[in-house]
Amino acid sequence: MPLPCDLLLTNAIVLTMDENFTLYPSGAVAITGDSIVAVGAQEGVANEYTAKQTLDCGGKVVMPGLVNAHTHAPMTLLRGLADDLRLDVWLLGYMMPVEREFVNPDFVRLGTGLACAEMIRSGITCFADMYYFESAVAEATAAAGMRALCGQTVLKFPTPDAGSYEDSLALTREFIIQWKDHPLIVPAPAPHAPFTCTPEILQACAALAVEFDVPLHTHLSETLFEVENSRKEHGMPVIPWAKKQSLFDAKVLAAHCVHIDEGEIRALKHAKAGVAHNPSSNLKLASGVAPVSKMLELGLNVGIGTDGPASNNDLDMFTEVHLAALLAKWMSGDPTTLPARQALAMGTRLGAHALHLGHLTGSLTSGKRADLILVDNERIHNSPKFTRDPDAVYAQFVYATKSTDVTDVLCNGQWLMRDRKLLTVNEDELLVAAREYAKKIDVFLIQREESILQKLIAIGGAVEEESFEVQVKAQVDTEAQVLSVLNSEALTIIRARHYHEFDAYFLFDDPAQGRLRYREDEFLNEKGKVTQVRARLTLTGPSREGEFGSVLLSRSRYIAPATQSLRFYREYFRPTAEREVEKDRRRWLVTFKGVEFFVNLDRLLTPARAGFYIEIKSRTWSRRDARDKAAIIAELLHLFGASADSAVQTDYVELTTNTSQN
Ligand SMILES: [Zn+2]
C-alpha cells in the first residue's frame, strides 16, 4: 500500500548534495507539507508514494535551493549608486550618508522584496542577511516565502534605526523575541564588525545569541587594513581579538575571513563557526581572496555569499560558485583544487551549515525542509551531456549553467516560482517603487556632490561652526627681534608650543567652494621629539571677508578632527589640485593690551624659503571688534620689527606650485 504525500517530483536528475553526494540520474522526490519525506531512484519512490500532485520534471535537474551565505538584501535600492571606490570611501562617503537619509522600514521592505525576487529567480531559497530595521527584512522575506537568517545590525555609532548602541541592542532583543519561532525566519544579532563595534557590543551580542540560542552574524577580517589595525591596537589579529571578547560563545557566521592564517582557521573550527566566502565582493573591492581550500581542508563550514547588491552588484549565486571554484584554483596554482561538486556543496549544504541551519536545509534529505529548485540543463550553453563521469553533472553546473536556467523554485514546501513566473512577489510593482527611490536618492547626492561643505557634513566632519579671524603675516629675516619682544614685558605669554606641521590643501574648480586643508600637527617637546600627533580638516571661505590696512579678516567655515587618512579625503573630495605646505612652527598664545593673540613664527620647509614668517591672529566676533583688534595687531607687528609694508598678502598656498593634478 503506497504512502500518501502532497507532491511528487518525478523524472529528474536528482542531486541530493548530501554528505555522500548521492545522485539519482533518474530520480524522484516526495514532499509532505513543508518537508521532504523521500528522495531516491524513480522506481522506488514512485512506487512507494501516491501524491495529491505529481510533477514530471522532464529530465531537469532537481537539487537543493542555493544558500546565499551573506548579503545585505535591502541594498538592492543602492545598487549602482557608487562603484569603483575604495571600501572606506564607498562606505563612509556614499553608503552610510545615503542610508542615514533614506533608510526606514518602507525602504527596507521594498529593497528586500526586490532582493527576494532576484534571488528566487537565481535559485536561492535561503540567505543570511544583515541590515537595519531587520524586522522589515524578515516581514518581506516571509511574505516572499523564502528562508533567511536575519541579522539585526549593531554598530558603535548611531544607525538609521537606533540613536545609540544601547537602543540597538534593545531593538535586537525585541526582534529576536518577535521572530524566534517563525517557520522561515531565524533572527540573529549582527554586530557589524570588530572595528565598528566596541568590546561591550561584541560581548552583549554574543550573550544575546547564547540566551536565545540563535546564530550571530558578523564581518571578520575583510581587509588587510583591518587586520593591521587590529594588530596595532590590540596586539593581535581579528579572530583572536574577537575570541577574547567572547564572540565565539555564540554560533557565529563570519563573512569574509579573507586575511586569516591557519591558527585562526583552527580557532574558527574549534568555535564551530561558519564562514561566508564572498568572491565577487572581495575581488571588486580588491580585499583579497579568502583561503577557502585551507578552511575546507581543516573541516570548516564555508558557504558562499553574494554580499550586498551595492558591492557585487548582483545576487547571483551561480556567478559566486563559479568564481569560488576558479579563484581557489588560481590561488593554489592547482586546477584540481576545489572541484566542482565541492564548490556546489559550498553553495548548498556547507552554506546551510555555515548559517547553522544545516538541520533544516542545504541538501535533499528525508526530514529536511522542502527547499529545492528545478534547473533546465538542456539549453545551448549547457549541451551536450556525457554520462561516463558521474561528476560531470557538477562540472556542468558550476562551469556552464546560468541562473536563468532555473525554472522552478520550492521553499518550505511552497512554490515560489513555476516556469520562471514568480508567484509570491510582484516584480512590476517593486520596480516602479524602486525607480521612485532612485530618483530621490539621485537628487540628494547630486546636490551634495555640488558642495564641499555638504560633503564634509555628510561624513560627520563638521563639529565647529564658522569662525572669523583677523590676521596679518609678514616676512622677517631673523627670529632674534621677535623672540626678544616675546620675552620682554610688553606682552604676557600664556602658552608656548612647538609643532611640525604638514598641510595638504585641496583646491577646487569652483573657487566659491573655498578650499579644504588637511593638517597634521606633530607636537614637539624641548628636545624636538614628537610627543603627539593631531589631524584636522578646515574648510576656509572662498575669499577674504575684509581688510584693515595690512590686516585681513578671514573666515574658516568648518573645523573638524580628521579621523580618516589623507588618501581617504583625496579620493572622497576629488580636488582639482592639491598643494603641500610643510613648516616648523613655534606658536605662542599671548596677551597684549588686554587682548589674546596667537603669534606664529614659521620656517617654511615646503616650499623651502629663507627667513621666517611671523603671523599674528585673533578670533573676532563683529566688524567693530575686528577693526579694534586689527589696530592692535598693526602695533604688535611694528614691535616685532616688521613694518606694515613687509606684510605679505599671499598665503603659503600661493607660494607653492602644483604638487598634483587630478
Ligand atoms: Zn557584508
Side-chain angles (χ1 to χ4, degrees):
M1 172 89 180
L3 297 162
C5 72
D6 292 336
L7 176 65
L8 191 60
L9 304 178
T10 61
N11 188 22
I13 301 170
V14 178
L15 310 186
T16 67
M17 297 311 294
D18 66 9
E19 304 276 340
N20 303 315
F21 290 93
T22 312
L23 184 161
Y24 301 99
S26 173
V29 182
I31 294 149
T32 290
D34 58 11
S35 298
I36 297 168
V37 289
V39 185
Q42 164 98 15
E43 319 83 68
V45 177
N47 290 335
E48 233 175 286
Y49 288 88
T50 53
K52 287 182 192 152
Q53 192 202 349
T54 300
L55 180 71
D56 182 333
C57 298
K60 284 180 187 171
V61 169
V62 170
M63 58 170 288
L66 296 164
V67 177
N68 182 357
H70 178 68
T71 191
H72 310 279
M75 293 181 90
T76 43
L77 282 171
L78 304 178
R79 172 173 20 222
L81 183 67
D83 290 285
D84 302 327
L85 298 170
R86 233 174 281 274
L87 181 63
D88 54 5
V89 176
W90 176 82
L91 188 66
L92 304 172
Y94 290 87
M95 292 303 134
M96 287 184 164
V98 170
E99 286 176 333
R100 267 197 300 274
E101 188 74 18
F102 289 96
V103 171
N104 57 37
D106 174 57
F107 175 103
V108 166
R109 232 172 269 120
L110 173 62
T112 305
L114 287 159
C116 287
E118 185 181 355
M119 286 195 275
I120 294 168
R121 284 208 171 279
S122 64
I124 296 165
T125 51
C126 176
F127 64 97
D129 191 69
M130 178 197 291
Y131 209 60
Y132 313 109
F133 298 106
E134 197 63 27
S135 205
V137 172
E139 270 171 46
T141 303
M146 291 184 77
R147 192 179 305 287
L149 173 69
C150 291
Q152 167 64 45
T153 302
V154 186
L155 282 162
K156 66 182 170 190
F157 14 81
T159 56
D161 57 3
S164 69
Y165 79 80
E166 288 92 344
D167 291 352
S168 190
L169 283 168
L171 184 72
T172 307
R173 170 177 287 273
E174 252 171 66
F175 167 67
I176 294 172
I177 292 169
Q178 188 191 349
W179 289 91
K180 86 184 167 52
D181 297 317
H182 195 276
L184 289 168
I185 305 299
V186 176
H192 178 266
F195 69 98
T196 50
C197 292
T198 60
E200 299 75 53
I201 294 176
L202 299 178
Q203 289 155 16
C205 284
L208 202 55
V210 170
E211 182 183 341
F212 291 100
D213 190 29
V214 292
L216 178 150
H217 190 183
T218 190
H219 295 108
L220 295 177
S221 288
E222 180 174 0
T223 63
L224 198 57
F225 181 70
E226 177 189 348
V227 177
E228 280 170 354
N229 269 350
S230 178
R231 281 187 193 280
K232 240 184 272 167
E233 275 176 40
H234 312 306
M236 61 186 90
V238 179
I239 306 293
W241 165 250
K243 185 167 178 239
K244 212 173 156 197
Q245 310 316 318
S246 311
L247 194 76
F248 297 111
D249 287 1
K251 300 183 284 188
V252 170
L253 166 62
H256 304 302
C257 298
V258 175
H259 299 280
I260 62 173
D261 61 22
E262 193 170 325
E264 292 177 280
I265 296 175
R266 287 185 196 281
L268 288 171
K269 163 76 180 155
H270 187 249
K272 297 190 173 68
V275 170
H277 173 42
N278 301 273
S280 288
S281 167
N282 295 156
L283 285 175
K284 184 161 175 265
L285 292 163
S287 305
V289 180
V292 292
S293 302
K294 194 67 185 169
M295 295 180 195
L296 292 166
E297 188 190 313
L298 295 177
L300 215 55
N301 288 320
V302 189
I304 298 176
T306 58
D307 208 350
S311 57
N312 180 312
N313 294 358
D314 61 20
L315 298 169
D316 186 339
M317 277 292 288
F318 283 75
T319 317
E320 301 306 320
V321 172
H322 181 93
L323 264 180
L326 265 49
L327 276 176
K329 293 171 197 305
W330 169 78
M331 242 188 121
S332 64
D334 175 2
T336 67
T337 303
L338 197 54
R341 71 176 200 180
Q342 201 181 8
L344 193 54
M346 291 171 75
T348 52
R349 175 171 40 84
L350 292 176
H353 281 298
L355 268 61
H356 305 275
L357 302 180
H359 57 295
L360 294 177
T361 191
S363 68
L364 302 185
T365 308
S366 171
K368 282 199 187 182
R369 299 291 186 267
D371 297 355
L372 57 82
I373 59 176
L374 270 65
V375 184
D376 179 0
N377 64 345
E378 300 281 349
R379 298 174 79 198
I380 190 82
H381 57 266
N382 229 349
S383 304
K385 296 233 155 6
F386 298 99
T387 54
R388 179 190 56 85
D389 178 1
D391 279 359
V393 62
Y394 299 108
Q396 195 83 353
F397 193 96
V398 172
Y399 304 125
T401 305
K402 303 189 184 315
S403 58
T404 47
D405 297 338
V406 177
T407 58
D408 300 82
V409 175
L410 185 82
C411 183
N412 211 44
Q414 184 195 5
W415 287 112
L416 308 186
M417 181 164 81
R418 288 300 318 273
D419 289 327
R420 295 194 172 87
K421 190 178 171 351
L422 294 181
L423 304 176
T424 53
V425 187
N426 186 330
E427 277 171 301
D428 296 336
E429 269 177 30
L430 292 173
L431 284 172
V432 170
R435 270 181 224 121
E436 287 308 307
Y437 257 110
K439 266 188 224 157
K440 283 190 268 181
I441 294 170
D442 236 358
V443 168
F444 168 76
L445 265 189
I446 289 167
Q447 275 174 0
R448 190 200 79 170
E449 293 291 285
E450 280 169 359
S451 156
I452 301 302
L453 181 59
Q454 288 306 319
K455 287 193 79 163
L456 193 58
I457 292 169
I459 50 170
V463 293
E464 195 177 326
E465 305 236 333
E466 67 180 357
S467 62
F468 292 86
E469 263 182 358
V470 273
Q471 56 169 309
V472 72
K473 176 156 42 206
Q475 201 161 8
V476 290
D477 295 332
T478 67
E479 55 190 335
Q481 170 86 350
V482 177
L483 293 178
S484 83
V485 173
L486 280 165
N487 292 323
S488 74
E489 288 187 355
L491 42 76
T492 314
I493 294 175
I494 300 170
R495 194 168 69 218
R497 284 263 167 87
H498 187 190
Y499 311 85
H500 181 182
E501 281 187 4
F502 169 83
D503 293 333
Y505 286 87
F506 292 168
L507 312 182
F508 302 95
D509 267 343
D510 174 9
Q513 296 282 349
R515 56 191 180 202
L516 190 63
R517 184 186 68 198
Y518 170 90
R519 164 169 292 180
E520 260 175 41
D521 288 328
E522 291 179 339
F523 292 78
L524 305 175
N525 64 14
E526 309 80 57
K527 290 176 185 146
K529 287 263 176 306
V530 179
T531 56
Q532 195 194 332
V533 182
R534 175 179 70 175
R536 283 192 300 176
L537 286 175
T538 306
L539 182 65
T540 52
S543 59
R544 284 153 192 156
E545 299 290 315
E547 289 178 18
F548 306 93
S550 55
V551 180
L552 306 175
L553 176 63
S554 72
R555 176 164 71 118
S556 109
R557 295 165 76 187
Y558 280 93
I559 303 175
T563 49
Q564 305 297 323
S565 64
L566 174 58
R567 190 269 309 151
F568 171 90
Y569 295 117
R570 183 180 293 137
E571 291 179 12
Y572 176 60
F573 287 103
R574 300 188 202 192
T576 29
E578 197 177 320
R579 309 285 170 87
E580 281 177 12
V581 175
E582 204 181 344
K583 57 183 174 283
D584 180 85
R585 164 166 286 182
R586 275 167 294 168
R587 159 173 271 212
W588 294 269
L589 175 61
V590 302
T591 48
F592 178 66
K593 299 203 162 177
V595 182
E596 282 191 6
F597 295 99
F598 280 108
V599 176
N600 298 329
L601 191 58
D602 295 341
R603 198 156 50 82
L604 265 189
L605 308 171
T606 311
R609 286 287 185 280
F612 294 85
Y613 287 89
I614 185 157
E615 254 184 13
I616 308 165
K617 52 174 71 181
S618 184
R619 279 279 186 101
T620 186
W621 297 272
S622 68
R623 243 186 138 71
R624 181 168 166 186
D625 178 68
R627 196 185 54 220
D628 293 349
K629 281 181 177 161
I632 309 176
I633 284 179
E635 249 182 83
L636 203 47
L637 188 68
H638 184 70
L639 212 55
F640 283 128
S643 67
D645 296 341
S646 69
V648 225
Q649 294 287 328
T650 56
D651 66 14
Y652 297 132
V653 180
E654 282 144 13
L655 292 171
T656 64
T657 49
N658 247 356
T659 51
S660 83
Q661 194 87 41
N662 287 15

